[in-house]
Amino acid sequence: MPNHPVVCVTLYVISCLLDAVDGHAARALDQCSKFGAVLDMVTDRCTTTCLLCFLASVYPTYAVLFQFLISLDISSHYMHMYSSLTEGAESHKQIKEDSNPFLRAYYKNNNVLFFMCAGNELFFVALYVLATTKPLPVFEYDLRLILATVTFPICAAKQIINVIQFVNASKSLASIDIEDRRAKRALKKE
């Protein structure tokens, strides 16, 4: 990563684009599975985590922020995936109608999902390119700074979605635990 930014960005973008189409391919080929959904989520988290770890090393002032973003990303997606599967959903993208409206919009509309994920990843890529390459002038402006500036609000919104996802999944799992306890108490009374 520190020595080959063109190769790194190329491979990272290819990885993200393949991630955008693998679910469509699985559905088209009738190859969907819970294993595939979980594996997809895990590989997504690993990809982003690797980049954020590097960013923490080149921007040490913001290392704690990058560590927080890694923790939020992993925990929110894990909690969401686990609560979805625990509730019997076929996919973590199946959102109940009474769920948070932002979470519904995020998962129900593939264009919104792609836009948010792409913008989030592009912000991190822009930070990477800022740290590893020379300025890329376009009409007296640095293209790297333009990309970071344009994608920052998308990244911030994606982190808000992650918080909503974490809270929503926590509430869902707590409700399941409450129902399980009630059922156990009812069995003990019999």
Side-chain angles (χ1 to χ4, degrees):
M1 289 182 96
N3 301 321
H4 303 286
V6 173
V7 172
C8 183
V9 169
T10 301
L11 293 174
Y12 197 85
V13 169
I14 289 170
S15 172
C16 290
L17 291 174
L18 288 173
D19 179 52
V21 299
D22 64 353
H24 295 291
R27 284 184 288 281
L29 298 171
D30 196 28
Q31 296 291 312
C32 294
S33 66
K34 290 179 182 173
F35 173 77
V38 172
L39 182 63
D40 181 63
M41 188 266 300
V42 168
T43 57
D44 293 348
R45 306 292 63 83
C46 290
T47 303
T48 303
T49 297
C50 289
L51 181 54
L52 291 176
C53 285
F54 180 78
L55 292 176
S57 73
V58 294
Y59 298 106
T61 304
Y62 300 101
V64 171
L65 175 60
F66 290 119
Q67 291 167 352
F68 171 76
L69 292 175
I70 291 167
S71 298
L72 177 62
D73 190 46
I74 291 171
S75 62
S76 69
H77 284 84
Y78 173 80
M79 294 285 284
H80 178 69
M81 178 67 76
Y82 185 75
S83 70
S84 297
L85 295 176
T86 301
E87 290 177 326
E90 290 294 316
S91 166
H92 63 285
K93 293 181 182 176
Q94 291 178 336
I95 303 296
K96 294 186 284 187
E97 290 303 316
D98 63 345
S99 292
N100 182 284
F102 293 111
L103 202 55
R104 274 198 325 270
Y106 178 74
Y107 278 113
K108 293 277 186 182
N109 186 324
N110 286 335
N111 294 327
V112 171
L113 182 64
F114 179 81
F115 177 78
M116 295 295 289
C117 291
N120 183 61
E121 298 299 326
L122 282 173
F123 175 70
F124 297 138
V125 167
L127 292 180
Y128 168 75
V129 171
L130 275 166
T132 59
T133 64
K134 295 176 182 170
L136 300 168
V138 175
F139 302 111
E140 299 180 24
Y141 298 101
D142 186 347
L143 184 60
R144 304 167 313 156
L145 286 173
I146 293 170
L147 181 60
T149 303
V150 168
T151 56
F152 173 74
I154 301 166
C155 178
K158 175 69 168 80
Q159 304 320 310
I160 292 168
I161 292 290
N162 284 348
V163 170
I164 292 169
Q165 181 171 258
F166 183 87
V167 169
N168 193 67
S170 297
K171 287 179 179 178
S172 176
L173 288 170
S175 294
I176 291 169
D177 285 344
I178 290 168
E179 288 303 315
D180 287 349
R181 283 190 181 143
R182 284 184 185 151
K184 286 178 183 177
R185 287 182 188 147
L187 283 174
K188 284 182 181 180
K189 288 182 180 180
E190 292 178 4

